[in-house]
Amino acid sequence: MKTLKALFAFILIFLVVAISLALSSHNTQLIKLNFIIAEKTLVFSQVLAIFFFVGVVLSSLAWWWLLAKSKLKNFQQKRKIDSLTQENERLRIQLKDQ
């Protein structure tokens, strides 16, 4: 089931990229980008593709960071629950012995 979802996602992404490339090939307007130390003239579709790629990378990094933080917190809480469960079992055994 996971491979089917992954295949569907890959096909969907491929279609979106193919359609956007087909539509952007007609847009040949030149744009001048001024950086702090340089100036570059690019086609508008290239600028959109660059900014889209940078946005995807930055959002993926942010998502990975949040996911890693939550996984770490989940792991720590699971260890705490395990230790409290063991302590609870030891106390029950001590109560039964008395």
Side-chain angles (χ1 to χ4, degrees):
M1 189 68 176
K2 284 187 178 183
T3 57
L4 185 62
K5 286 182 183 180
L7 179 65
F8 180 71
F10 178 74
I11 290 172
L12 184 65
I13 290 170
F14 180 76
L15 286 174
V16 167
V17 169
I19 290 171
S20 64
L21 285 175
L23 292 176
S24 67
S25 66
H26 295 290
N27 193 353
T28 58
Q29 180 180 2
L30 293 176
I31 293 181
K32 187 183 297 187
L33 294 176
N34 292 319
F35 303 107
I36 294 174
I37 58 173
E39 186 176 289
K40 184 80 174 170
T41 302
L42 295 171
V43 179
F44 184 65
S45 59
Q46 290 175 337
V47 172
L48 287 177
I50 290 169
F51 284 124
F52 179 75
F53 179 73
V54 169
V56 167
V57 168
L58 290 177
S59 63
S60 296
L61 288 174
W63 179 250
W64 179 81
W65 174 257
L66 291 174
L67 186 65
K69 263 179 46 175
S70 67
K71 290 273 189 183
L72 179 64
K73 191 172 187 177
N74 189 16
F75 177 73
Q76 290 171 343
Q77 288 177 347
K78 190 178 282 191
R79 281 183 38 193
K80 187 173 183 177
I81 287 172
D82 289 342
S83 68
L84 289 175
T85 303
Q86 289 175 355
E87 184 180 349
N88 190 13
E89 288 298 322
R90 281 188 308 231
L91 291 174
R92 281 186 185 175
I93 291 172
Q94 286 177 358
L95 283 176
K96 284 182 182 179
D97 291 341
Q98 291 179 356

